Amino acid sequence: MSDTHDKHRAVPVPECDILIHCGDIMQRYGYIGDMGGGISILQDFAQWLAEQTSARHKIVVGGNHDLFLEHLGDSQVQSILSSQCQDGSIHYLHNQPVTIANMTVYGSPWSPMGTTGNRAFQSGADARYAAKKCIQATLSWKSIDILVTHAFCKEWKDQVVSAKGTKFWVHGHWHDGQGKPSVIQGPPNERNKSALNCISVNVAINNMIYRPVNAPIVYDLPIH
């Protein structure tokens, strides 16, 4: 799922082994208002994550509305998210990898800069070269099984998905694209002997007028 915009408690979460949230936890819009609810929303989100007991792992990245997360910094965000669930099951990823259940996962809050003031995680080299950072961070990994980004982008598709033989790419950001999976295919390469067959899907919960009308998407990925 993605783009809950502080309406996470309106989302019926199905049973799952890994719960993924692709960013935009907060509701902050443009230059108006505060940080989208600030610490109270993030703490409630942490409690909500802890309540999803069927999920043995929860993966979270930020989004362009999550300025509060960007200001807090990675270690503080991880600490708050883990405060209600201290079993190590919550992974806040900011351009970094993690290994879960023998699968390689990489998460990034990247999204392209738009015309609004919602520009968290969009400025500087950290954003411009996010896809290249992914390749550098995973040089020793043969593949990335699951790619988690806030937004879809051709650079991620060409530089990461094709090079790393990604099986599942989950993202959000564009609310009107929810629930439309596509298959990214390609020939084998030097690192991956099997042909590329990646499922890419937008999992935004809110629609274009910020109503949480979309259901979470469940995908079964075989563990190798």
Side-chain angles (χ1 to χ4, degrees):
M1 71 180 70
S2 182
D3 299 84
T4 50
H5 294 288
D6 83 17
K7 302 177 181 71
H8 43 272
R9 291 199 175 275
V11 182
V13 180
E15 288 194 10
C16 58
D17 296 307
I18 302 175
L19 172 61
I20 298 176
H21 194 292
C22 301
D24 277 3
I25 299 165
M26 304 292 192
Q27 178 58 45
R28 182 182 189 272
Y29 188 80
Y31 300 104
I32 302 172
D34 58 12
M35 294 288 187
I39 189 67
S40 62
I41 292 297
L42 187 58
Q43 289 174 332
D44 187 69
F45 180 75
Q47 178 61 45
W48 174 79
L49 282 179
E51 293 166 6
Q52 313 311 315
T53 55
S54 73
R56 291 177 289 174
H57 295 277
K58 294 102 171 176
I59 299 170
V60 179
V61 302
N64 64 302
H65 284 255
D66 296 327
L67 187 64
F68 183 67
L69 275 63
E70 188 176 41
H71 282 196
L72 275 181
D74 298 350
S75 61
Q76 188 72 355
V77 173
Q78 178 66 66
S79 177
I80 293 171
L81 292 180
S82 300
S83 64
Q84 303 296 326
C85 191
Q86 300 177 7
D87 58 1
S89 64
I90 297 179
H91 311 272
Y92 176 67
L93 303 181
H94 183 177
N95 294 331
Q96 65 193 104
V98 67
T99 301
I100 296 174
N102 295 321
M103 294 187 295
T104 55
V105 183
Y106 189 93
S108 173
W110 181 91
S111 62
M113 188 173 290
T115 58
T116 73
N118 308 307
R119 296 181 178 175
F121 304 107
Q122 290 184 344
S123 62
D126 185 58
R128 289 196 300 273
Y129 304 112
K132 290 183 179 179
K133 286 177 177 289
C134 176
I135 292 294
Q136 294 169 357
T138 60
L139 282 175
S140 62
W141 291 7
K142 180 180 177 182
S143 65
I144 295 175
D145 295 303
I146 302 174
L147 178 62
V148 181
T149 61
H150 181 54
F152 178 93
C153 179
K154 186 176 184 296
E155 283 74 18
W156 286 100
K157 174 177 172 287
D158 295 342
Q159 297 180 33
V160 179
V161 172
S162 297
K164 291 292 187 177
T166 302
K167 298 178 179 65
F168 185 48
W169 180 14
V170 59
H171 46 82
H173 187 55
W174 287 285
H175 296 189
D176 57 344
Q178 194 269 359
K180 300 175 182 176
S182 61
V183 180
I184 302 172
Q185 295 180 316
N189 56 44
E190 292 182 2
R191 295 180 67 87
N192 295 283
K193 305 306 180 183
S194 301
L196 176 67
N197 195 40
C198 174
I199 301 295
S200 170
V201 63
N202 181 311
V203 294
I205 294 296
N206 274 250
N207 62 11
M208 292 297 290
I209 56 173
Y210 291 83
R211 299 290 187 269
V213 299
N214 299 319
I217 290 177
V218 179
Y219 181 72
D220 291 325
L221 186 65
I223 297 177
H224 55 247

